[in-house]
């Protein structure tokens, strides 16, 4: 890997971390804003849904745009829009402006995360890709883990301080990317150059619409319901069923954050080399399924904690593994592929929590029974995907 490519990867990781840190900063302030401004739970739900909706609609369109005009300008505009969305939220106390801010924030997320993944795929060889995508995933997780704690500290000064801080991080990210990121034509990996030389600019749509890519997208869609269905009600479930305190929940989430960072940074690439992406995905679905069933059958807190860490660790490895496999399933259209990946994940972010919340009102165990079903179906899908010795992806 060239020095310029290493510098570009550092900038991508830095930008991803700062944006996710900014997103995490505002999380602890949201309940305070709800109470201070007398907003309803529906108002807050609509705000979250608007973010996810903008991300869902824009991700594939922006991904295709980045295939045509380049990654750097799309990333720069996305980071700038992140700053704008946080400034709008900091300046206003009006609900309609909050909603506009969340729409802009969703568009920003659609421009930054999948484009960064697409650029990582452009500038790395197949053998390097798992490591770099693991680092990007760790940057994503690390920002979201550290953000809420820092946001809670800043909120003691002023409840709008986290939003101003997030805006400053967005500005710093934009400047760093524009100044330090080398021109894209100097960064593209040799195997990507060779592949693009055989296909039209932006990739061949026939290459994109292969059976293996479509099957991976179906897997993402099905699994996203399960992943979000598990995560969205976890705190409520363990509190009501196993009487977890806030301290218990904080301990589990902190342990998960530390394990997640370690696995993504230190072990993910080694697991991919040892087993390949298909098997890693298969193992992740299997262990998340087993962990979910264990939680349903558990009789003690320690069982729930161990099972939870198994499930969350599997989830944290699953996302970069699927993303890495997707980047290898097609020689072009990396922006569109990663955009659709983000878009389908957004569907799970919207519908998964609604599904689990509704089922939880019926019976405490219904949500995780359904989640286990989704995970088992996804586990079955992994047997329809295989990798050749050359590293290409095929569908059975």
């Amino acid at each position: 890997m060239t020095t310029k490519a290493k510098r570009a990867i550092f900038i991508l990781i830095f930008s991803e971390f700062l944006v996710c840190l900014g997103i995490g900063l505002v999380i602890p302030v949201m309940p305070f804003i709800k109470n201070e401004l007398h907003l309803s739970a529906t108002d807050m739900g609509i705000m979250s849904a608007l973010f996810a909706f903008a991300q869902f609609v824009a991700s594939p369109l922006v991904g295709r745009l980045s295939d045509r005009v380049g990654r750097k300008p799309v990333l720069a505009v996305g980071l700038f829009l992140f700053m704008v969305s946080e400034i709008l939220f900091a300046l206003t106390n009006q609900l309609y402006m909050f909603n506009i801010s969340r729409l802009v924030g969703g568009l920003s997320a659609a421009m930054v995360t999948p484009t960064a993944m697409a650029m990582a795929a452009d500038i790395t060889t197949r053998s390097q890709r798992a490591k770099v995508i693991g680092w990007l995933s760790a940057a994503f997780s690390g920002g979201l883990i550290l953000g809420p704690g820092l946001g809670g500290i800043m909120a003691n000064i002023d409840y709008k301080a986290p939003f101003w801080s997030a805006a400053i991080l967005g500005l710093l990210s934009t400047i760093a990317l524009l100044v330090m990121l080398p021109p894209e034509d100097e960064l593209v990996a040799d195997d990507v150059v060779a592949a693009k030389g055989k296909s039209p600019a932006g990739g061949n749509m026939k290459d994109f619409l292969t059976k293996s890519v479509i099957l991976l997208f179906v897997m993402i869609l099905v699994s996203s319901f399960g992943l979000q269905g598990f995560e969205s009600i976890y705190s409520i479930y363990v509190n009501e069923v196993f009487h977890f305190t806030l301290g218990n929940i904080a301990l589990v989430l902190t342990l998960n954050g530390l394990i997640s960072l370690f696995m993504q940074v230190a072990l993910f690439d080694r697991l991919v080399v040892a087993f390949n992406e298909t098997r890693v995905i298969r193992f992740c679905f299997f262990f998340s399924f087993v962990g979910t069933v264990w939680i349903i059958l558990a009789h003690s807190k320690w069982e729930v904690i161990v099972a939870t860490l198994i499930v969350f660790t599997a989830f944290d490895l699953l996302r970069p593994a699927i993303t890495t496999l997707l980047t290898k399933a097609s020689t072009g259209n990396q922006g569109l592929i990663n955009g659709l990946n983000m878009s389908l994940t957004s569907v799970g972010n919207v519908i998964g929590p609604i599904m689990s919340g509704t089922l939880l009102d019926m019976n405490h165990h219904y949500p995780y029974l359904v989640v286990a079903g989704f995970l088992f179906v996804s586990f079955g899908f992994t047997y329809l995907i295989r990798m050749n010795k050359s590293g290409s992806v095929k569908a059975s």
Side-chain angles (χ1 to χ4, degrees):
M1 189 182 298
T2 65
T3 301
K4 288 185 177 180
K6 290 179 180 178
R7 188 172 74 192
I9 289 168
F10 171 78
I11 293 300
L12 293 177
I13 293 171
F14 177 74
S15 299
E16 187 98 348
F17 175 76
L18 286 186
V19 169
C20 291
L21 185 68
I23 293 172
L25 284 175
V26 306
I27 290 174
V29 189
M30 299 304 282
F32 181 85
I33 288 178
K34 174 182 178 294
N35 296 328
E36 180 76 9
L37 303 179
H38 307 293
L39 301 176
S40 67
T42 301
D43 293 331
M44 303 304 289
I46 289 173
M47 267 193 262
S48 297
L50 286 172
F51 185 99
F53 177 75
Q55 199 173 20
F56 164 70
V57 173
S59 289
L61 301 176
V62 170
R64 191 59 176 165
L65 178 66
S66 76
D67 287 332
R68 296 184 178 279
V69 305
R71 316 295 185 206
K72 185 173 179 177
V74 173
L75 282 169
V77 173
L79 292 170
F80 179 78
L81 288 178
F82 171 78
M83 178 190 71
V84 171
S85 72
E86 299 304 323
I87 290 175
L88 288 176
F89 217 105
L91 286 176
T92 187
N93 286 325
Q94 300 296 319
L95 180 59
Y96 79 94
M97 287 299 293
F98 288 150
N99 288 337
I100 292 174
S101 169
R102 293 301 85 189
L103 282 169
V104 175
L107 177 59
S108 166
M111 300 183 82
V112 173
T113 302
T115 308
M117 290 293 184
M119 189 168 191
D122 286 342
I123 65 178
T124 55
T125 63
R126 287 175 177 268
S127 60
Q128 299 164 342
R129 199 163 300 163
K131 180 184 292 186
V132 173
I133 288 179
W135 288 345
L136 282 169
S137 298
F140 186 94
S141 301
L144 293 180
I145 290 165
L146 294 175
L150 293 174
I153 294 171
M154 291 178 186
N156 291 324
I157 303 170
D158 182 87
Y159 78 94
K160 289 296 185 76
F163 297 97
W164 288 114
S165 301
I168 292 171
L169 291 178
L171 177 61
L172 291 174
S173 299
T174 305
I175 294 171
L177 184 134
L178 288 172
V179 172
M180 299 177 65
L181 190 66
E184 291 172 66
D185 57 358
E186 299 177 11
L187 299 172
V188 179
D190 292 340
D191 62 345
V192 178
V193 171
K196 285 187 174 182
K198 300 175 184 178
S199 60
N204 191 319
M205 287 304 293
K206 290 182 180 179
D207 179 51
F208 165 66
L209 292 174
T210 61
K211 186 178 178 181
S212 58
V213 170
I214 293 172
L215 188 57
L216 282 169
F217 282 143
V218 172
M219 192 187 303
I220 289 169
L221 182 59
V222 173
S223 64
S224 67
F225 288 113
L227 302 185
Q228 289 302 316
F230 182 95
E231 294 176 353
S232 63
I233 62 157
Y234 176 76
S235 297
I236 299 172
Y237 179 83
V238 295
N239 174 256
E240 294 183 357
V241 178
F242 296 99
H243 309 293
F244 272 44
T245 64
L246 287 175
N248 296 145
I249 296 171
L251 173 64
V252 173
L253 295 180
T254 301
L255 286 173
N256 170 66
L258 295 173
I259 293 171
S260 169
L261 290 177
F262 175 74
M263 294 293 288
Q264 290 174 339
V265 173
L267 292 184
F268 176 67
D269 179 53
R270 297 181 183 181
L271 289 172
V272 168
V273 171
F275 299 107
N276 79 39
E277 291 88 348
T278 302
R279 290 194 182 96
V280 170
I281 293 168
R282 186 175 301 151
F283 295 154
C284 287
F285 277 128
F286 176 76
F287 283 112
S288 60
F289 167 75
V290 170
T292 303
V293 173
W294 189 4
I295 290 175
I296 295 171
L297 301 176
H299 297 289
S300 63
K301 283 187 177 181
W302 75 264
E303 287 184 83
V304 176
I305 291 174
V306 173
T308 299
L309 292 176
I310 290 172
V311 173
F312 277 141
T313 300
F315 287 173
D316 291 332
L317 292 175
L318 180 63
R319 293 181 178 105
I322 292 180
T323 300
T324 305
L325 193 60
L326 267 173
T327 65
K328 293 181 178 181
S330 175
T331 54
N333 295 290
Q334 293 297 333
L336 180 58
I337 283 177
N338 283 280
L340 283 170
N341 183 355
M342 178 65 70
S343 185
L344 292 171
T345 302
S346 297
V347 174
N349 291 343
V350 174
I351 301 178
I354 296 172
M355 173 194 72
S356 286
T358 303
L359 291 171
L360 188 67
D361 289 334
M362 299 179 187
N363 183 285
H364 284 127
H365 295 307
Y366 283 177
Y368 283 178
L369 286 171
V370 173
V371 165
F374 278 121
L375 295 173
F376 187 76
V377 169
S378 300
F379 170 70
F381 280 153
T382 64
Y383 285 94
L384 301 177
I385 297 288
R386 67 181 188 277
M387 293 186 68
N388 298 332
K389 292 183 179 179
S390 63
S392 59
V393 184
K394 301 293 182 181
S396 300

